[in-house]
């Protein structure tokens, strides 16, 4: 069954570009397009439950209602919808604002189609938090200096003993922002094997997002 996708962007050319990137992948189905956050929320009111998007690619800078405000308002009302920010902005403050609002990923618009598809699968199937590499590096730098995101009390240095050597290798690659496909190519395993290992890492570390994995890895000085 295809993953139901929505696109929210005030520029039609951007929506068309994203659609063209995704159309060749049968695992996704575009069910909603909106020109800003208000338009998106209004459309959802009349959407049949069976067609509500599972994941929405959300622009940040839009008139009427921007992406961060939209995610913050939509998440409590539609908790089953996942949001990936798809933007041209690498601004540090916007990264944290989007994450705090409820974004499940943060990608730049120039990402190739395969990376966007991989990110969608990460979020929907494994509740991951994909980031473009440049964004992940900024997030790691911010965590080093601010420690703004909370760390579970269960996380400590002994946690490393719970992970296999292969899981540690994958964790270190995740912290650099690589996609499952890129990690698989580097470690000579399939992306499906990578996903299985990531699921195990999430369970063992008691986390539910890539951002928390980065935080744990930084705290324990694994990367």
């Amino acid at each position: 069954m295809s993953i139901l996708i929505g696109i929210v962007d005030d520029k039609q050319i951007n929506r068309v570009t994203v659609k063209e990137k995704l159309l060749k992948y049968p695992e996704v189905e575009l069910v909603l397009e909106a020109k800003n956050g208000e338009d998106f929320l209004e459309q959802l009111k009349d959407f049949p439950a069976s067609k509500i998007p599972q994941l929405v690619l959300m622009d940040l800078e839009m008139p009427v209602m921007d992406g961060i405000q939209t995610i913050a308002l939509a998440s409590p009302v539609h908790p089953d919808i996942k949001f990936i920010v798809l933007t041209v902005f690498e601004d540090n403050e916007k990264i944290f604002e989007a994450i705090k609002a409820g974004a499940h990923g943060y990608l730049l618009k120039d990402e190739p189609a395969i990376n966007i598809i991989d990110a969608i699968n990460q979020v929907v199937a494994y509740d991951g938090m994909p980031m473009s590499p440049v964004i992940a590096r900024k997030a790691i730098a911010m965590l080093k200096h601010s420690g703004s995101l909370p760390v579970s009390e269960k996380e400590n240095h002994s946690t490393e003993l719970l992970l296999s050597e292969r899981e540690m290798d994958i964790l270190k690659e995740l912290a650099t922002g690589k996609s499952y496909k890129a990690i698989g190519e580097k470690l000579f395993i399939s992306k499906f094997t990578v996903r299985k290992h990531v699921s195990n890492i999430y369970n063992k570390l008691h986390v539910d997002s890539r951002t928390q994995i980065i935080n744990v890895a930084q705290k324990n000085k694994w990367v």
Side-chain angles (χ1 to χ4, degrees):
M1 183 179 294
S2 298
I3 298 171
L4 305 181
I5 300 296
I7 299 172
V8 182
D9 196 304
D10 62 306
K11 295 180 177 61
Q12 183 178 7
I13 188 171
N14 290 341
R15 298 197 301 270
V16 171
T17 299
V18 174
K19 281 194 294 184
E20 290 177 346
K21 284 184 175 183
L22 301 182
L23 278 177
K24 59 183 177 181
Y25 294 92
E27 57 262 50
V28 298
E29 177 187 354
L30 180 62
V31 295
L32 182 152
E33 288 183 64
K35 59 186 178 182
N36 56 55
E38 185 175 272
D39 181 26
F40 168 68
L41 293 174
E42 284 298 316
Q43 288 191 48
L44 283 182
K45 291 179 181 178
D46 299 321
F47 249 67
S50 61
K51 282 297 183 180
I52 289 180
Q54 296 166 267
L55 184 139
V56 174
L57 300 171
M58 179 71 66
D59 187 27
L60 281 186
E61 295 293 325
M62 296 180 291
V64 185
M65 186 182 293
D66 65 24
I68 291 173
Q69 185 181 2
T70 304
I71 294 171
L73 289 174
S75 294
V77 180
H78 301 280
D80 293 333
I81 299 179
K82 310 287 188 180
F83 295 93
I84 292 179
V85 171
L86 194 61
T87 183
V88 296
F89 294 95
E90 302 173 20
D91 181 85
N92 290 2
E93 184 177 345
K94 289 186 183 297
I95 295 171
F96 264 175
E97 283 183 359
I99 291 171
K100 288 188 289 185
H104 296 79
Y106 201 113
L107 303 179
L108 297 180
K109 287 184 177 178
D110 59 2
E111 286 285 349
I114 186 62
N115 287 1
I116 297 176
I117 290 293
D118 186 46
I120 290 171
N121 283 317
Q122 286 183 44
V123 171
V124 173
Y126 299 99
D127 201 25
M129 190 162 190
M131 294 183 182
S132 294
V134 65
I135 299 298
R137 286 193 291 271
K138 285 178 176 289
I140 290 172
M142 286 187 287
L143 289 171
K144 283 181 178 178
H145 291 96
S146 70
S148 295
L149 295 180
V151 181
S152 168
E153 293 179 358
K154 296 180 181 179
E155 296 162 359
N156 53 56
H157 290 277
S158 65
T159 309
E160 185 174 5
L161 300 176
L162 295 174
L163 302 182
S164 68
E165 183 176 350
R166 175 60 82 191
E167 288 166 351
M168 284 299 300
D169 290 340
I170 290 173
L171 181 147
K172 290 173 182 177
E173 298 302 326
L174 283 173
T176 68
K178 287 189 176 68
S179 67
Y180 290 2
K181 182 175 182 289
I183 294 172
E185 289 174 351
K186 180 171 182 178
L187 300 179
F188 303 103
I189 56 179
S190 74
K191 67 179 182 181
F192 303 105
T193 301
V194 174
R195 285 175 180 164
K196 178 61 178 175
H197 283 304
V198 170
S199 179
N200 290 339
I201 292 170
Y202 279 17
N203 290 333
K204 290 181 178 181
L205 297 187
H206 306 286
V207 300
D208 55 19
S209 72
R210 187 184 292 230
T211 299
Q212 290 179 342
I213 285 180
I214 293 172
N215 204 6
V216 173
Q218 288 294 328
K219 178 189 175 185
N220 290 287
K221 301 180 179 179
W222 298 339
V223 296

